Amino acid sequence: MADKNLLLVESFFENDSAFESDGTDFDELDCSDPLAMSGRCDLHKGLRIEISEQPHTMRQVTNIIIALQKFKQVRSTEFTDHELFNIIIENIVEESMGLKVNCESSRTYNKQDRVIQCTVCDGLKKSLVQSQGTPNLLAVTLRGGNSNRMGINLSTYTTPGCKATNGQPICLKIAQSNLYLACTKESGTSSQPHLILEDVKDEETLKTIEENDGMERFLFFRKVTGGSINTFESVKYPHWFISTSKNESMPVDMCVEEDTSRQKVFTLQDQKNLN
């Protein structure tokens, strides 16, 4: 029989007894081959089942194929490639639609080793620079090349599964300093969130950030579109984005996504890995 008629199904079972055969007309698994020790068994009619550490959802696929092989009355005792493909795809789609992500548990963000140093410009080519004497950044059109641009270190964090679509969690730090960008509200007020530069005395406190532990103010979801267009959404205050004024030398601040009066897109230039 041609190789294309040999079916290889990968699944994960606690033990080989997960396959049941309750009829005398159906060939039992032949595990006399030494490969059986690794979870591979052959059926006498050319059906090979290989058991490996794959998601449990493939259990149903395997059982359905065996059951159909047992009961389906067709001219040939084996499935065509097209029939097998349809069986597997239909069951994978059915089970994946029922997958639920548990977002009830507390989310944890763990800092990764990767750090990128870069300069940041808004959609109008204004560079982000540190304002002297105030805890703010300014967006300024610089003259005279790149020598006056301020470096920003971008550190990435692991992404909790239920927040994966929001972007990559990051923190932003002024290079060669302990100043981090933070999105926060004035204590005891209901005012809108603002962007500030905050001096972090102990940077170890940023290695692991828990949901609602107060440190989420340093985290932003970075989303990249078109290969180079970046947006930075606050983790602590969803739908609030780092933004700049269309006017010159104005503070960098936060705004809602619907605010069309401010620039919410940025490009990262002069990128280099620090580790």
Side-chain angles (χ1 to χ4, degrees):
M1 184 65 63
D3 289 342
K4 70 176 182 178
N5 291 325
L6 183 65
L7 170 64
L8 178 64
V9 180
E10 294 186 352
S11 184
F12 175 69
F13 296 96
E14 296 178 358
N15 53 61
D16 294 349
S17 63
F19 294 96
E20 298 179 357
S21 177
D22 55 3
T24 57
D25 295 332
F26 182 61
D27 289 331
E28 298 292 337
L29 295 177
D30 178 11
C31 290
S32 59
D33 191 286
L35 288 175
M37 296 301 295
S38 63
R40 179 177 298 174
C41 300
D42 290 331
L43 291 179
H44 295 302
K45 291 186 178 181
L47 183 65
R48 173 179 293 169
I49 297 173
E50 181 173 337
I51 304 170
S52 61
E53 292 191 0
Q54 296 294 329
H56 289 273
T57 55
M58 290 300 293
R59 177 195 293 267
Q60 181 181 1
V61 178
T62 304
N63 287 333
I64 288 178
I65 292 173
I66 293 175
L68 288 174
Q69 176 78 346
K70 182 177 179 181
F71 295 112
K72 186 174 181 181
Q73 300 298 319
V74 292
R75 182 175 57 185
S76 171
T77 60
E78 297 187 355
F79 290 107
T80 67
D81 291 346
H82 181 70
E83 289 173 320
L84 294 172
F85 176 80
N86 286 338
I87 292 170
I88 293 173
I89 291 301
E90 287 173 3
N91 284 276
I92 290 176
V93 171
E94 178 182 352
E95 293 204 7
S96 63
M97 288 178 64
L99 180 64
K100 294 183 180 179
V101 178
N102 181 16
C103 290
E104 297 299 326
S105 59
S106 178
R107 293 185 281 272
T108 301
Y109 303 87
N110 294 303
K111 194 173 184 179
Q112 299 177 317
D113 293 333
R114 187 186 182 201
V115 179
I116 298 174
Q117 187 171 102
C118 59
T119 58
V120 181
C121 296
D122 69 7
L124 297 177
K125 308 299 183 183
K126 299 194 299 295
S127 298
L128 304 193
V129 300
Q130 185 177 351
S131 174
Q132 298 299 322
T134 65
N136 297 111
L137 290 177
L138 300 179
V140 178
T141 301
L142 297 178
R143 305 287 191 268
N146 298 333
S147 59
N148 295 324
R149 290 186 177 180
M150 178 189 69
I152 292 181
N153 293 352
L154 185 154
S155 300
T156 60
Y157 285 73
T158 55
T159 306
C162 55
K163 281 288 188 179
T165 58
N166 289 43
Q168 172 68 55
I170 64 163
C171 67
L172 299 164
K173 170 188 173 182
I174 305 301
Q176 301 176 341
S177 78
N178 291 325
L179 295 174
Y180 285 80
L181 277 67
C183 179
T184 185
K185 290 182 179 181
E186 294 182 12
S187 179
T189 71
S190 59
S191 62
Q192 69 181 37
H194 287 286
L195 186 73
I196 64 171
L197 292 178
E198 185 171 334
D199 189 2
V200 178
K201 303 296 185 182
D202 183 7
E203 293 184 290
E204 290 293 315
T205 59
L206 295 177
K207 283 193 172 181
T208 298
I209 297 177
E210 300 282 351
E211 182 180 22
N212 299 323
D213 69 355
M215 302 300 285
E216 285 180 303
R217 64 185 184 276
F218 295 105
L219 290 178
F220 300 89
F221 285 120
R222 177 195 178 198
K223 184 173 290 187
V224 183
T225 56
S228 61
I229 304 301
N230 297 261
T231 58
F232 302 101
E233 180 184 5
S234 171
V235 171
K236 185 174 180 61
Y237 301 104
H239 311 300
W240 285 86
F241 290 78
I242 296 178
S243 64
T244 62
S245 170
K246 295 180 180 179
N247 297 324
E248 185 71 26
S249 301
M250 298 297 291
V252 183
D253 209 340
M254 306 298 296
C255 77
V256 292
E257 188 172 9
E258 296 79 13
D259 189 346
T260 59
S261 67
R262 296 182 63 83
Q263 295 286 308
K264 296 179 288 293
V265 298
F266 299 88
T267 57
L268 308 184
Q269 302 178 3
D270 308 317
Q271 297 185 47
K272 61 180 180 181
N273 291 319
L274 297 185
N275 49 4

